[in-house]
Protein backbone atom coordinates (compact mmCIF):
# COMPACT_ATOMS: atom_id res chain seq x y z
CA UNK A 1 0.00 0.00 0.00
CA UNK A 2 2.83 2.37 0.92
CA UNK A 3 4.59 1.55 -2.34
CA UNK A 4 1.44 2.50 -4.28
CA UNK A 5 1.25 5.81 -2.39
CA UNK A 6 4.91 6.52 -3.16
CA UNK A 7 4.28 5.90 -6.85
CA UNK A 8 1.33 8.32 -6.78
CA UNK A 9 3.46 11.03 -5.17
CA UNK A 10 6.17 10.59 -7.81
CA UNK A 11 3.63 10.85 -10.62
CA UNK A 12 2.02 13.95 -9.09
CA UNK A 13 5.46 15.56 -8.93
CA UNK A 14 5.92 14.79 -12.62
CA UNK A 15 2.58 16.38 -13.51
CA UNK A 16 3.67 19.72 -12.08
CA UNK A 17 7.18 19.33 -13.43
CA UNK A 18 5.65 18.87 -16.89
CA UNK A 19 3.44 21.92 -16.41
CA UNK A 20 6.40 24.13 -15.51
CA UNK A 21 8.70 22.73 -18.18
CA UNK A 22 11.06 20.82 -15.92
CA UNK A 23 10.27 17.62 -17.83
CA UNK A 24 7.94 16.69 -20.67
CA UNK A 25 4.49 15.14 -20.74
CA UNK A 26 6.11 12.23 -22.54
CA UNK A 27 8.26 11.59 -19.47
CA UNK A 28 5.14 11.55 -17.31
CA UNK A 29 3.35 9.18 -19.66
CA UNK A 30 6.33 6.83 -19.81
CA UNK A 31 6.30 6.67 -16.01
CA UNK A 32 2.54 5.94 -15.96
CA UNK A 33 2.95 3.08 -18.46
CA UNK A 34 5.53 1.39 -16.22
CA UNK A 35 3.05 1.12 -13.34
CA UNK A 36 1.03 -1.63 -15.10
CA UNK A 37 2.21 -4.99 -16.53
CA UNK A 38 3.23 -4.47 -20.18
CA UNK A 39 1.59 -1.07 -19.87
CA UNK A 40 0.89 1.05 -22.94
CA UNK A 41 -0.31 4.50 -21.92
CA UNK A 42 -1.94 7.33 -23.83
CA UNK A 43 -3.18 10.86 -23.26
CA UNK A 44 -5.92 11.21 -25.82
CA UNK A 45 -9.20 12.85 -26.56
CA UNK A 46 -12.32 11.69 -28.31
CA UNK A 47 -14.68 13.93 -30.22
CA UNK A 48 -18.10 12.37 -29.73
CA UNK A 49 -19.27 13.81 -33.05
CA UNK A 50 -16.52 12.02 -34.97
CA UNK A 51 -15.35 8.38 -35.05
CA UNK A 52 -11.72 9.49 -35.28
CA UNK A 53 -9.65 9.43 -32.09
CA UNK A 54 -6.81 11.84 -31.40
CA UNK A 55 -3.80 10.30 -29.66
CA UNK A 56 -1.07 12.93 -29.55
CA UNK A 57 0.80 11.46 -26.57
CA UNK A 58 1.50 7.75 -26.18
CA UNK A 59 3.96 5.38 -24.55
CA UNK A 60 4.56 1.79 -25.65
CA UNK A 61 2.24 1.72 -28.64
CA UNK A 62 3.68 1.26 -32.10
CA UNK A 63 2.85 3.74 -34.85
CA UNK A 64 0.84 1.03 -36.60
CA UNK A 65 -1.23 0.28 -33.50
CA UNK A 66 -2.07 3.95 -33.07
CA UNK A 67 -2.88 4.43 -36.75
CA UNK A 68 -5.33 1.52 -36.89
CA UNK A 69 -6.88 2.55 -33.59
CA UNK A 70 -7.36 6.16 -34.67
CA UNK A 71 -8.64 5.36 -38.15
CA UNK A 72 -11.00 2.49 -37.33
CA UNK A 73 -10.94 0.74 -33.97
CA UNK A 74 -11.72 3.91 -32.00
CA UNK A 75 -15.11 3.91 -33.74
CA UNK A 76 -15.88 0.36 -32.50
CA UNK A 77 -14.28 0.76 -29.06
CA UNK A 78 -17.10 -0.32 -26.69
CA UNK A 79 -15.71 1.75 -23.82
CA UNK A 80 -15.88 5.16 -25.50
CA UNK A 81 -19.69 5.50 -25.90
CA UNK A 82 -20.03 4.72 -22.20
CA UNK A 83 -17.42 7.21 -20.98
CA UNK A 84 -20.08 9.91 -20.80
CA UNK A 85 -21.89 7.87 -18.16
CA UNK A 86 -18.98 7.55 -15.72
CA UNK A 87 -17.90 10.25 -13.26
CA UNK A 88 -15.15 12.61 -14.33
CA UNK A 89 -12.08 12.09 -12.19
CA UNK A 90 -12.84 8.52 -11.12
CA UNK A 91 -10.35 5.89 -12.22
CA UNK A 92 -12.03 2.83 -13.69
CA UNK A 93 -11.08 -0.58 -15.03
CA UNK A 94 -12.41 -1.45 -18.45
CA UNK A 95 -14.48 -4.27 -16.94
CA UNK A 96 -16.41 -1.72 -14.87
CA UNK A 97 -17.51 0.09 -18.02
CA UNK A 98 -18.14 -2.89 -20.30
CA UNK A 99 -18.20 -6.42 -18.92
CA UNK A 100 -15.34 -8.69 -19.89
CA UNK A 101 -17.72 -11.40 -21.11
CA UNK A 102 -19.02 -8.96 -23.70
CA UNK A 103 -15.62 -7.40 -24.42
CA UNK A 104 -13.96 -10.64 -25.54
CA UNK A 105 -16.64 -11.09 -28.21
CA UNK A 106 -15.99 -7.72 -29.85
CA UNK A 107 -14.02 -6.86 -32.97
CA UNK A 108 -12.19 -4.25 -30.90
CA UNK A 109 -10.80 -6.83 -28.47
CA UNK A 110 -10.04 -9.66 -30.91
CA UNK A 111 -8.61 -7.63 -33.81
CA UNK A 112 -6.90 -4.75 -32.00
CA UNK A 113 -6.56 -4.90 -28.21
CA UNK A 114 -5.52 -8.57 -28.00
CA UNK A 115 -4.04 -9.29 -31.43
CA UNK A 116 -2.23 -6.00 -32.14
CA UNK A 117 -1.58 -4.43 -28.73
CA UNK A 118 -1.15 -7.71 -26.85
CA UNK A 119 -3.32 -6.49 -23.99
CA UNK A 120 -6.33 -7.75 -22.07
CA UNK A 121 -8.00 -4.62 -20.77
CA UNK A 122 -7.45 -0.95 -20.01
CA UNK A 123 -7.50 1.31 -16.98
CA UNK A 124 -8.39 4.94 -17.42
CA UNK A 125 -9.87 8.17 -16.14
CA UNK A 126 -11.75 11.03 -17.78
CA UNK A 127 -9.81 14.16 -16.89
CA UNK A 128 -11.94 16.81 -18.57
CA UNK A 129 -15.33 16.41 -20.23
CA UNK A 130 -16.66 19.09 -22.54
CA UNK A 131 -19.89 19.15 -24.53
CA UNK A 132 -18.60 16.93 -27.32
CA UNK A 133 -15.12 15.96 -26.24
CA UNK A 134 -13.57 13.92 -23.48
CA UNK A 135 -9.90 14.01 -22.45
CA UNK A 136 -8.68 10.68 -21.12
CA UNK A 137 -5.58 9.15 -19.53
CA UNK A 138 -5.58 5.41 -20.07
CA UNK A 139 -3.23 2.44 -19.97
CA UNK A 140 -3.74 -0.83 -21.82
CA UNK A 141 -2.31 -3.73 -19.86
CA UNK A 142 -1.75 -7.45 -20.21
CA UNK A 143 -3.05 -7.90 -16.66
CA UNK A 144 -6.49 -9.49 -16.30
CA UNK A 145 -6.18 -9.49 -12.49
CA UNK A 146 -9.19 -7.49 -11.19
CA UNK A 147 -7.51 -6.67 -7.86
CA UNK A 148 -4.30 -5.40 -9.44
CA UNK A 149 -6.21 -3.37 -12.03
CA UNK A 150 -8.48 -1.88 -9.35
CA UNK A 151 -5.38 -0.69 -7.45
CA UNK A 152 -4.18 1.00 -10.63
CA UNK A 153 -7.60 2.60 -11.13
CA UNK A 154 -7.48 4.02 -7.60
CA UNK A 155 -4.11 5.55 -8.43
CA UNK A 156 -5.68 7.26 -11.44
CA UNK A 157 -8.36 8.71 -9.16
CA UNK A 158 -5.58 10.27 -7.08
CA UNK A 159 -3.86 11.69 -10.18
CA UNK A 160 -7.03 13.02 -11.82
CA UNK A 161 -7.52 16.33 -9.93
CA UNK A 162 -3.85 17.23 -10.42
CA UNK A 163 -4.08 16.49 -14.14
CA UNK A 164 -7.27 18.49 -14.43
CA UNK A 165 -5.67 21.42 -12.66
CA UNK A 166 -2.61 21.28 -14.91
CA UNK A 167 -4.69 20.96 -18.08
CA UNK A 168 -6.94 23.83 -17.04
CA UNK A 169 -3.85 26.01 -17.29
CA UNK A 170 -3.50 25.19 -20.94
CA UNK A 171 -6.09 26.41 -23.39
CA UNK A 172 -8.32 23.45 -24.04
CA UNK A 173 -8.42 23.81 -27.79
CA UNK A 174 -4.61 23.76 -27.91
CA UNK A 175 -4.21 21.10 -25.24
CA UNK A 176 -1.81 18.90 -27.15
CA UNK A 177 -0.33 21.49 -29.50
CA UNK A 178 3.03 23.17 -28.93
CA UNK A 179 2.48 26.02 -26.51
CA UNK A 180 3.55 29.36 -27.98
CA UNK A 181 2.12 31.51 -25.20
CA UNK A 182 3.64 32.47 -21.92
CA UNK A 183 2.56 31.03 -18.60
CA UNK A 184 1.30 34.49 -17.72
CA UNK A 185 -1.23 34.47 -20.56
CA UNK A 186 -2.29 30.90 -19.88
CA UNK A 187 -3.00 31.45 -16.20
CA UNK A 188 -4.70 34.80 -16.80
CA UNK A 189 -7.00 33.17 -19.34
CA UNK A 190 -8.55 30.95 -16.66
CA UNK A 191 -8.58 33.53 -13.88
CA UNK A 192 -5.85 31.92 -11.79
CA UNK A 193 -3.09 33.80 -10.02
CA UNK A 194 0.46 32.53 -10.46
CA UNK A 195 3.21 33.66 -8.07
CA UNK A 196 6.89 32.71 -8.17
CA UNK A 197 8.16 33.29 -4.64
CA UNK A 198 11.67 33.12 -3.19
CA UNK A 199 12.63 31.45 0.07
CA UNK A 200 12.43 34.86 1.78
CA UNK A 201 8.87 35.36 0.50
CA UNK A 202 9.98 37.89 -2.07
CA UNK A 203 7.85 37.91 -5.20
CA UNK A 204 10.04 37.08 -8.17
CA UNK A 205 7.37 36.99 -10.84
CA UNK A 206 3.56 37.03 -11.13
CA UNK A 207 0.78 37.36 -13.69
CA UNK A 208 -1.96 39.99 -13.98
CA UNK A 209 -4.48 37.94 -12.02
CA UNK A 210 -1.97 37.60 -9.19
CA UNK A 211 -1.72 41.40 -9.04
CA UNK A 212 -5.50 41.62 -8.72
CA UNK A 213 -5.47 39.06 -5.92
CA UNK A 214 -2.79 41.02 -4.07
CA UNK A 215 -4.81 44.23 -4.47
CA UNK A 216 -7.86 42.50 -2.99
CA UNK A 217 -5.74 41.22 -0.10
CA UNK A 218 -6.87 37.59 -0.14
CA UNK A 219 -5.68 34.83 -0.07
CA UNK A 220 -2.29 36.54 -0.37
CA UNK A 221 -1.14 40.10 0.15
CA UNK A 222 2.07 42.08 0.22
CA UNK A 223 3.39 43.38 3.54
CA UNK A 224 4.89 46.84 3.93
CA UNK A 225 8.28 45.12 3.98
CA UNK A 226 7.71 43.67 0.52
CA UNK A 227 7.16 40.10 1.66
CA UNK A 228 4.31 37.90 0.49
CA UNK A 229 1.91 37.00 3.29
CA UNK A 230 -0.27 33.91 2.93
CA UNK A 231 -3.60 34.29 4.72
CA UNK A 232 -3.68 30.71 5.96
CA UNK A 233 -1.51 29.45 8.78
CA UNK A 234 -1.21 25.87 7.48
CA UNK A 235 -0.45 27.06 3.96
CA UNK A 236 2.17 29.48 5.26
CA UNK A 237 3.82 26.62 7.17
CA UNK A 238 3.73 24.46 4.04
CA UNK A 239 5.45 27.24 2.10
CA UNK A 240 8.23 27.36 4.70
CA UNK A 241 8.85 23.63 4.20
CA UNK A 242 8.77 23.85 0.42
CA UNK A 243 11.11 26.87 0.37
CA UNK A 244 13.62 25.38 2.79
CA UNK A 245 17.14 24.79 1.48
CA UNK A 246 17.26 21.66 3.59
CA UNK A 247 15.93 18.34 2.31
CA UNK A 248 12.49 18.84 3.80
CA UNK A 249 9.01 18.22 2.44
CA UNK A 250 8.94 18.91 -1.31
CA UNK A 251 5.67 17.24 -2.33
CA UNK A 252 3.06 19.55 -3.89
CA UNK A 253 0.70 21.09 -1.33
CA UNK A 254 -2.98 21.91 -1.88
CA UNK A 255 -5.46 23.59 0.45
CA UNK A 256 -8.76 25.43 0.27
CA UNK A 257 -8.84 28.75 2.13
CA UNK A 258 -11.76 31.06 2.82
CA UNK A 259 -11.80 34.70 3.84
CA UNK A 260 -13.30 35.39 7.26
CA UNK A 261 -16.79 36.80 6.92
CA UNK A 262 -16.58 36.93 3.13
CA UNK A 263 -18.03 34.81 0.35
CA UNK A 264 -14.62 34.23 -1.21
CA UNK A 265 -12.61 31.02 -1.27
CA UNK A 266 -9.59 29.82 -3.20
CA UNK A 267 -7.71 26.63 -3.82
CA UNK A 268 -4.01 27.18 -3.19
CA UNK A 269 -1.50 24.85 -4.83
CA UNK A 270 2.19 25.14 -4.04
CA UNK A 271 4.95 23.44 -5.99
CA UNK A 272 8.69 23.76 -5.54
CA UNK A 273 10.24 24.53 -8.90
CA UNK A 274 13.01 22.08 -9.67
CA UNK A 275 16.27 23.80 -10.56
CA UNK A 276 19.90 22.82 -10.75
CA UNK A 277 21.80 22.51 -7.49
CA UNK A 278 23.92 25.48 -8.55
CA UNK A 279 20.88 27.69 -9.15
CA UNK A 280 19.36 26.71 -5.82
CA UNK A 281 22.64 27.46 -4.09
CA UNK A 282 23.02 30.92 -5.67
CA UNK A 283 19.39 32.07 -5.64
CA UNK A 284 17.63 29.77 -3.22
CA UNK A 285 14.53 27.66 -3.94
CA UNK A 286 11.56 29.08 -5.83
CA UNK A 287 8.00 28.05 -4.99
CA UNK A 288 5.17 28.45 -7.48
CA UNK A 289 1.89 29.36 -5.80
CA UNK A 290 -1.30 28.92 -7.83
CA UNK A 291 -4.44 30.62 -6.51
CA UNK A 292 -7.66 29.44 -8.16
CA UNK A 293 -11.09 30.84 -7.24
CA UNK A 294 -13.46 28.09 -6.11
CA UNK A 295 -16.22 29.57 -8.27
CA UNK A 296 -15.40 30.29 -11.92
CA UNK A 297 -16.01 33.82 -13.19
CA UNK A 298 -18.78 32.88 -15.70
CA UNK A 299 -20.73 31.25 -12.88
CA UNK A 300 -20.32 34.23 -10.57
CA UNK A 301 -22.08 36.30 -13.22
CA UNK A 302 -25.12 34.02 -12.95
CA UNK A 303 -25.56 34.46 -9.19
CA UNK A 304 -28.18 37.24 -9.43
CA UNK A 305 -30.03 35.43 -12.21
CA UNK A 306 -30.26 32.30 -10.06
CA UNK A 307 -31.68 34.25 -7.16
CA UNK A 308 -34.34 35.79 -9.37
CA UNK A 309 -35.44 32.75 -11.38
CA UNK A 310 -34.95 29.76 -9.06
CA UNK A 311 -36.15 28.81 -5.63
CA UNK A 312 -32.64 28.07 -4.40
CA UNK A 313 -31.66 29.43 -1.03
CA UNK A 314 -28.56 31.60 -0.64
CA UNK A 315 -26.62 28.60 0.70
CA UNK A 316 -27.85 26.36 -2.12
CA UNK A 317 -26.71 28.93 -4.67
CA UNK A 318 -23.25 28.97 -3.07
CA UNK A 319 -23.05 25.17 -3.18
CA UNK A 320 -24.44 24.97 -6.74
CA UNK A 321 -21.94 27.48 -8.13
CA UNK A 322 -19.00 25.80 -6.43
CA UNK A 323 -19.99 22.31 -7.58
CA UNK A 324 -20.65 23.54 -11.13
CA UNK A 325 -17.13 25.03 -11.13
CA UNK A 326 -15.75 21.49 -10.91
CA UNK A 327 -15.23 21.10 -7.18
CA UNK A 328 -16.08 17.88 -5.39
CA UNK A 329 -18.67 17.88 -2.59
CA UNK A 330 -15.86 17.42 -0.06
CA UNK A 331 -14.01 20.44 -1.47
CA UNK A 332 -17.24 22.45 -1.29
CA UNK A 333 -17.69 21.37 2.32
CA UNK A 334 -14.21 22.65 3.16
CA UNK A 335 -14.63 25.91 1.24
CA UNK A 336 -18.10 26.63 2.66
CA UNK A 337 -17.23 25.37 6.16
CA UNK A 338 -20.00 22.78 6.16
CA UNK A 339 -20.22 19.11 6.96
CA UNK A 340 -19.91 16.81 3.97
CA UNK A 341 -23.37 15.30 4.55
CA UNK A 342 -24.86 18.81 4.71
CA UNK A 343 -23.44 19.56 1.26
CA UNK A 344 -24.91 16.31 -0.06
CA UNK A 345 -28.31 17.28 1.35
CA UNK A 346 -28.09 20.68 -0.34
CA UNK A 347 -27.10 18.99 -3.61
CA UNK A 348 -30.16 16.72 -3.53
CA UNK A 349 -32.34 19.78 -3.05
CA UNK A 350 -30.54 21.68 -5.84
CA UNK A 351 -30.88 18.82 -8.30
CA UNK A 352 -34.58 18.49 -7.47
CA UNK A 353 -35.31 22.21 -7.85
CA UNK A 354 -33.35 22.60 -11.09
CA UNK A 355 -34.39 19.29 -12.64
CA UNK A 356 -30.86 17.87 -13.07
CA UNK A 357 -29.28 14.70 -11.74
CA UNK A 358 -25.52 15.16 -11.97
CA UNK A 359 -22.66 17.62 -11.54
CA UNK A 360 -22.11 17.64 -15.31
CA UNK A 361 -25.76 18.50 -15.97
CA UNK A 362 -25.66 21.21 -13.29
CA UNK A 363 -22.59 22.82 -14.87
CA UNK A 364 -24.19 22.66 -18.32
CA UNK A 365 -27.34 24.35 -17.02
CA UNK A 366 -25.55 27.12 -15.14
CA UNK A 367 -23.16 27.80 -18.00
CA UNK A 368 -26.07 28.04 -20.37
CA UNK A 369 -24.89 25.19 -22.60
Amino acid sequence: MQQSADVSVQLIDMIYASLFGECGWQDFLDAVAKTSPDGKAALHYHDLASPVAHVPYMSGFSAGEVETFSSHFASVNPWIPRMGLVPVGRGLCGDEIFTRNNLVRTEFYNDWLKRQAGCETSIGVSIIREKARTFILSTATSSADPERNREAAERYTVLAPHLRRAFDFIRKRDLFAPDNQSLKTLFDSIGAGLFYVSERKRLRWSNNTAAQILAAGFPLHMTTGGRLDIRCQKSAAAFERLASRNDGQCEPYTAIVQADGADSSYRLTMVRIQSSAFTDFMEGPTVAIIAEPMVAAPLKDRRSALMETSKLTVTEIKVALSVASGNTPREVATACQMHYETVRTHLRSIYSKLGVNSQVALAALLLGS
Side-chain angles (χ1 to χ4, degrees):
M1 198 70 177
Q2 181 59 44
Q3 183 179 5
S4 179
D6 291 343
V7 171
S8 296
V9 168
Q10 293 170 6
L11 292 174
I12 291 170
D13 285 345
M14 293 192 73
I15 290 171
Y16 290 104
S18 300
L19 175 63
F20 294 114
E22 298 298 332
C23 70
W25 287 108
Q26 187 64 54
D27 299 317
F28 165 74
L29 203 59
D30 290 343
V32 170
K34 292 176 182 178
T35 63
S36 292
D38 302 311
K40 297 184 176 185
L43 273 173
H44 50 114
Y45 64 87
H46 289 260
D47 191 335
L48 301 183
S50 169
V52 179
H54 304 270
V55 192
Y57 279 93
M58 59 183 176
S59 177
F61 290 105
S62 69
E65 290 167 1
V66 174
E67 194 280 326
T68 56
F69 175 80
S70 299
S71 62
H72 172 66
F73 288 101
S75 65
V76 296
N77 183 344
W79 291 316
I80 296 303
R82 294 163 175 79
M83 288 302 292
L85 303 177
V86 302
V88 174
R90 178 183 167 191
L92 292 170
C93 305
D95 296 350
E96 297 179 86
I97 304 173
F98 190 70
T99 65
R100 182 162 185 81
N101 287 339
N102 288 324
L103 175 68
V104 296
R105 293 197 292 265
T106 63
E107 172 192 6
F108 173 79
Y109 172 84
N110 288 288
D111 292 347
W112 187 81
L113 185 65
K114 179 69 172 180
R115 184 170 67 85
Q116 292 192 36
C119 294
E120 291 293 335
T121 189
S122 182
I123 305 119
V125 61
S126 293
I127 304 164
I128 298 173
R129 182 178 297 145
E130 299 175 339
K131 288 179 63 176
R133 182 179 292 180
T134 298
F135 294 95
I136 300 168
L137 169 67
S138 66
T139 300
T141 174
S142 61
S143 169
D145 181 350
E147 184 175 343
R148 184 167 192 170
N149 292 340
R150 171 99 302 272
E151 181 181 340
E154 291 172 357
R155 182 183 304 118
Y156 281 40
T157 300
V158 173
L159 297 179
H162 298 279
L163 284 166
R164 185 194 68 189
R165 206 161 297 145
F167 288 0
D168 277 344
F169 299 149
I170 305 172
R171 292 185 183 276
K172 291 185 175 107
R173 68 179 181 179
D174 299 323
L175 185 59
F176 297 111
D179 179 25
N180 295 320
Q181 303 184 46
S182 67
L183 277 175
K184 179 180 289 188
T185 301
L186 290 173
F187 279 70
D188 281 332
S189 71
I190 62 166
L194 175 61
F195 308 78
Y196 276 20
V197 188
S198 74
E199 61 178 330
R200 298 183 181 275
K201 293 188 177 181
R202 301 289 180 180
L203 188 61
R204 288 179 170 167
W205 182 90
S206 63
N207 64 344
N208 294 331
T209 304
Q212 296 169 9
I213 290 173
L214 291 177
F218 183 84
L220 303 99
H221 83 110
M222 197 70 70
T223 68
T224 55
R227 290 163 61 88
L228 201 68
D229 180 45
I230 304 172
R231 304 278 197 172
C232 170
Q233 187 173 356
K234 288 185 178 180
S235 298
F239 174 86
E240 295 291 346
R241 291 192 296 271
L242 285 167
S244 171
R245 288 179 181 255
N246 299 323
D247 294 330
Q249 175 184 335
C250 289
E251 292 84 1
Y253 169 87
T254 301
I256 296 171
V257 297
Q258 183 177 36
D260 293 335
D263 186 18
S264 178
S265 55
Y266 282 80
R267 178 190 287 108
L268 290 183
T269 301
M270 301 184 193
V271 183
R272 179 165 171 169
I273 304 300
Q274 297 298 316
S275 302
S276 68
F278 178 77
T279 300
D280 277 353
F281 175 76
M282 294 296 293
E283 300 182 4
T286 297
V287 176
I289 303 177
I290 306 161
E292 306 168 72
M294 290 291 289
V295 176
L299 291 171
K300 284 185 177 179
D301 296 339
R302 297 186 65 87
R303 188 187 304 267
S304 59
L306 272 176
M307 296 183 70
E308 293 175 3
T309 61
S310 74
K311 297 181 180 179
L312 299 184
T313 65
V314 172
T315 300
E316 287 172 345
I317 289 173
K318 183 187 299 184
V319 171
L321 295 176
S322 187
V323 168
S325 294
N327 302 302
T328 67
R330 291 195 184 278
E331 289 175 327
V332 174
T334 301
C336 297
Q337 298 181 336
M338 299 178 187
H339 290 296
Y340 171 64
E341 291 301 328
T342 302
V343 172
R344 292 186 64 190
T345 299
H346 284 309
L347 273 178
R348 286 193 291 269
S349 176
I350 291 164
Y351 289 168
S352 176
K353 290 180 180 180
L354 296 183
V356 297
N357 58 10
S358 69
Q359 183 173 342
V360 173
L362 178 63
L365 175 66
L366 297 187
L367 286 169
S369 57

